[in-house]
Amino acid sequence: SDGKGYMDKSQFDQILTPLIGQLDVNRFLSAENELENGSPKKKRKAKKAESENDVILESYGRYVSEDVTDTIVKLAVTQNDSANWQTLHHEILKFASHDSPHVRSSTLNLVRSMFEQVGEEYIVLLADTLPALAELLEDENEEVRLLANKIAVKLEQLSGEDLKQLLRS
């Protein structure tokens, strides 16, 4: 151990990709589709498929908000290492431009949780966050835009900085 967290850099790097990869809804949907393809019901009506997709996306949202976010935040808290935080944060921010609005929303909620729960020291990553947040403030999905706006306000409160000008540039 490096004395700062419960795992060293190589252990941290080893779990980083699979852990952050849990944000990808496509992995979630692929697993569901593999289960369905093994079943005798190969033809489904479009309406049933749409409703099943809604259930899957709802399960995804719950899984990310209750399990993945909590795990990632706890990992960051226990690491207490700004270099590892930066690596982790950059991997999280990659999902801010995901095709799925569900993933973009989950990413925003994770970013908010990181800033709220890791502590004041995490504010050093605010500048790294602003470009992704600025894009999400102009997202094509209204729910994502509204969430991005709430998080921008929250980050202003946490940092004590007026971010409006920085988010416009």
Side-chain angles (χ1 to χ4, degrees), residues 17-36:
T17 300
L19 181 59
I20 300 300
Q22 297 300 304
L23 290 171
D24 191 352
V25 73
N26 293 329
R27 284 183 171 193
F28 210 79
L29 293 171
S30 294
E32 286 295 321
N33 288 336
E34 285 173 21
L35 291 174
E36 287 173 11

Side-chain angles (χ1 to χ4, degrees), residues 23-26 60 95-96 98 100-108:
L23 290 171
D24 191 352
V25 73
N26 293 329
Y60 162 81
F95 285 91
H98 195 277
S100 168
H102 300 285
V103 174
R104 295 191 304 272
S105 292
S106 294
T107 301
L108 280 166

Side-chain angles (χ1 to χ4, degrees), residues 52-101:
E52 287 175 0
N53 209 25
D54 290 344
V55 170
I56 293 168
L57 290 172
E58 186 178 314
S59 295
Y60 162 81
R62 229 182 1 265
Y63 171 67
V64 170
S65 67
E66 294 173 7
D67 297 326
V68 177
T69 296
D70 190 46
T71 301
I72 293 171
V73 169
K74 284 180 179 168
L75 175 65
V77 168
T78 59
Q79 281 300 289
N80 196 23
D81 179 308
S82 61
N84 284 351
W85 286 346
Q86 187 169 32
T87 303
L88 177 64
H89 199 69
H90 284 217
E91 289 300 311
I92 292 167
L93 290 176
K94 288 178 182 178
F95 285 91
S97 59
H98 195 277
D99 290 342
S100 168

